[in-house]
Amino acid sequence: MADNGSALAALLPTKVRRKTRIGLVAGGLGTYWPQFPGLLPQLQESARYVSDRFAEMDAEVIDAGFISDAQEGASAGEMLRVADCDLIVMFLTTYLTSSMVLPIAQRSKTPVLVIDLQPTEKMDHANFDTGQWLAYCGQCPVPEVANVFRRAGIPFRSVSGYLRQDAAWERIGQWVRAAHIRAALRHARHGLMGHIYPGMLDVSTDLTLLPATFGSHVEVVEFDDLRQRVEQVTDAEVADRMSLAREIFTLDDTVVQEDFAWGAKVSVGLDRLVDDFELDSLAYYHRGLDGELHERLGAGMILGSSLLTARGVPTTGEYELRTTVAQLATQVIGAGGSFTEIQSLNFEDDVVEMGHDGPAHLSVSSRDPLLRGLGVYHGKRGWGVSVEFDVQHGPVTLLGLGQDQDGSLAFVASEGTVVPGPLLAIGNTTSRVDFGRDPGLWVDQWSQTGIGHHWSLSLGHRAADYRAAADLLGIDFRLV
């Protein structure tokens, strides 16, 4: 298949979710309009440009129009409240009063981004009159709005720049990407199947915590829900799934055809389970004994879980609910996100070797992913096929969901670079990550953040996006 993202997308279409909703409102002080007749048309033209730019982003834009006084601000706030937006953007085109915008933030109960984008880099001082200057006065009310938001207990965020400034639009885009994460976590249905991995106290998660923090839902399903669906899979469906797998994976000589067919059958059943329960993620674990059916189901999930993860439905072992949340966050902004832990340290090359056995995110692979047959899964019962590859070389960002003594959640991130070098060939996804420091020091710093055993490894340097997302979600952010 080669490591072509578009080819993978064609074979495994990404799950369709509710689109992120961006509320947009522009405004200025109506007192100016009769005083300077040319001002309002100029500002409305700027507002149309901003609206068009947002329409080009991967989001549904709810445009509340242009407001000129406090009454119109209140009406816009009511419209955006009903729209249930994930982020509201207020475009201050010139001076306006804080009384015009406060009701929008208060009534919508949605995170707000204030932007002020003057028409060009600078004024033409020799030729401008007062009306033309006022088109450049959008920064004037920013401190006022920030003060009032602070006094009202509303978090304040802003981007100042000029209308066609690439740097300003990159900063705005960062907040839109953060809104994608907020939207995904607000509306996600996270599946939990089986029971907690015995002894791993760090992965234990209060099922009320995610609904209380993000607004998402946790659906508890059983291995019998999967068993019943797997039993209904036909031989033809198994053959089709094996054919799909051969297009995506390179099959190692160690793959036993019987195990491959079983993984394909479980994969079809998994797809039905996810569709029937409308899941956005799934974490699972079953201990099993002596090859009984539930043990075989759990051992046969790696192929199907990897295919689901590639489709945008993170599916991971070890009952790791919080890490599937982190993977969903990295997935929805196009950064992939593979289930990861520390494997070893290389003090000669100053790299941290990390990865995981079992399910993997195929889109982060540097080459055709390999299916390897394993006669035993280390630390777990069962046997079957597993996924192996090296992560794409270049910048990466880890994102995990840490938890503190009081139960509160935090995004924990670290940026590094995947570099080439020797890797184990044991049916794991692996990577060598250079964090620009002694690897032992990095482990100490990373472990002090409240991170758990696992996290999501995503492509690109994305810490700024994850920081913004934490801000919109109202949780702490920690960077190593």
Side-chain angles (χ1 to χ4, degrees):
M1 182 201 66
D3 59 343
N4 187 309
S6 59
L8 184 63
L11 292 169
L12 299 169
T14 302
K15 176 183 173 70
V16 177
R17 293 186 171 89
R18 168 193 176 276
K19 288 185 76 69
T20 302
R21 293 179 186 168
I22 305 296
L24 181 62
V25 58
L29 187 62
T31 305
Y32 296 149
W33 312 152
Q35 296 175 330
F36 308 99
L39 179 60
L40 179 59
Q42 180 182 1
L43 301 181
Q44 289 174 325
E45 179 60 31
S46 293
R48 281 191 291 271
Y49 174 82
V50 168
S51 181
D52 289 344
R53 286 293 296 260
F54 273 96
E56 295 171 0
M57 299 180 183
D58 184 22
E60 178 184 355
V61 179
I62 313 298
D63 195 336
F66 197 102
I67 62 172
S68 300
D69 55 37
Q71 293 92 330
E72 291 180 356
S75 297
E78 183 63 17
M79 174 184 173
L80 295 176
R81 180 191 68 79
V82 173
D84 185 31
C85 298
D86 301 296
L87 176 69
I88 290 176
V89 179
M90 297 179 178
F91 177 25
L92 312 188
T93 65
T94 184
Y95 176 72
L96 47 64
T97 64
S98 50
S99 65
M100 294 169 59
V101 296
L102 180 61
I104 297 173
Q106 287 178 316
R107 298 187 183 195
S108 65
K109 300 187 184 302
T110 298
V112 172
L113 171 66
V114 170
I115 65 173
D116 53 281
L117 304 175
Q118 65 187 38
T120 63
E121 297 94 324
K122 63 179 182 179
M123 292 188 293
D124 182 358
H125 298 79
N127 297 303
F128 271 24
D129 60 18
T130 302
Q132 291 167 307
W133 156 60
L134 287 172
Y136 283 72
C137 199
Q139 296 82 11
C140 179
V142 175
E144 174 184 339
V145 173
N147 173 273
V148 172
F149 275 26
R150 177 182 289 268
R151 292 165 66 181
I154 298 168
F156 178 79
R157 313 161 187 90
S158 66
V159 172
S160 300
Y162 63 90
L163 204 57
R164 290 170 173 80
Q165 183 185 21
D166 291 339
W169 279 104
E170 171 54 31
R171 290 160 60 202
I172 293 169
Q174 176 182 299
W175 288 107
V176 172
R177 291 189 292 274
H180 288 323
I181 293 175
R182 180 174 186 262
L185 299 193
R186 282 179 67 212
H187 297 278
R189 289 175 54 84
H190 302 288
L192 273 177
M193 183 170 67
H195 61 83
I196 196 166
Y197 191 106
M200 295 185 71
L201 303 181
D202 65 305
V203 305
S204 177
T205 300
D206 175 2
L207 300 190
T208 307
L209 187 59
L210 295 186
T213 304
F214 304 129
S216 48
H217 173 78
V218 179
E219 183 75 16
V220 177
V221 297
E222 301 177 359
F223 262 86
D224 283 324
D225 292 317
L226 176 61
R227 174 191 56 78
Q228 187 266 348
R229 288 164 175 82
V230 169
E231 288 173 350
Q232 296 177 0
V233 176
T234 66
D235 291 343
E237 290 172 321
V238 171
D240 287 344
R241 185 55 51 97
M242 293 173 74
S243 177
L244 173 65
R246 289 189 184 96
E247 290 191 68
I248 295 173
F249 296 91
T250 297
L251 269 64
D252 188 72
D253 292 341
T254 56
V255 171
V256 177
Q257 286 301 302
E258 180 183 357
D259 295 341
F260 182 25
W262 176 246
K265 187 169 185 173
V266 174
S267 175
V268 176
L270 264 178
D271 284 359
R272 289 178 180 166
L273 180 81
V274 166
D275 290 343
D276 290 347
F277 285 95
E278 300 179 346
L279 300 180
D280 294 285
S281 75
L282 177 64
Y284 66 89
Y285 177 75
H286 180 77
R287 181 168 52 197
L289 183 65
D290 296 334
E292 51 86 22
L293 179 56
H294 292 93
E295 178 185 293
R296 293 295 294 130
L297 285 168
M301 289 185 63
I302 293 175
L303 172 60
S305 297
S306 298
L307 295 176
L308 277 171
T309 302
R311 288 178 43 210
V313 183
T315 305
T316 59
E318 301 182 17
Y319 216 62
E320 247 289 24
L321 175 61
R322 293 204 310 278
T323 299
T324 61
V325 174
Q327 287 180 268
L328 182 59
T330 60
Q331 165 73 37
V332 296
I333 63 168
S338 206
F339 194 56
T340 304
E341 66 184 7
I342 299 169
Q343 293 181 326
S344 179
L345 304 182
N346 185 322
F347 289 96
E348 183 175 295
D349 297 337
D350 282 339
V351 297
V352 180
E353 298 184 26
M354 57 178 61
H356 208 279
D357 62 317
H361 198 307
L362 305 180
S363 71
V364 306
S365 176
S366 65
R367 54 182 169 84
D368 286 359
L370 179 77
L371 275 186
R372 183 181 294 279
L374 297 179
V376 61
Y377 292 152
H378 74 272
K380 296 180 279 288
R381 293 190 174 102
W383 66 92
V385 294
S386 192
V387 175
E388 177 181 307
F389 60 73
D390 180 17
V391 173
Q392 292 177 31
H393 301 169
V396 294
T397 306
L398 313 183
L399 179 68
L401 206 56
Q403 187 168 12
D404 293 339
Q405 184 178 6
D406 64 0
S408 61
L409 298 174
F411 271 179
V412 183
S414 188
E415 294 181 338
T417 303
V418 173
V419 296
L423 301 168
L424 293 174
I426 57 172
N428 285 203
T429 62
T430 53
S431 55
R432 295 158 44 90
V433 188
D434 182 354
F435 290 102
R437 72 200 80 175
D438 178 274
L441 176 61
W442 179 86
V443 171
D444 294 338
Q445 294 171 333
W446 182 244
S447 301
Q448 290 165 6
T449 62
I451 194 69
H453 190 106
H454 308 100
W455 45 87
S456 176
L457 188 153
S458 62
L459 301 181
H461 282 164
R462 303 280 190 158
D465 291 341
Y466 302 146
R467 182 188 297 274
D471 185 82
L472 295 189
L473 292 164
I475 62 175
D476 197 12
F477 178 80
R478 295 158 196 169
L479 179 65
V480 173

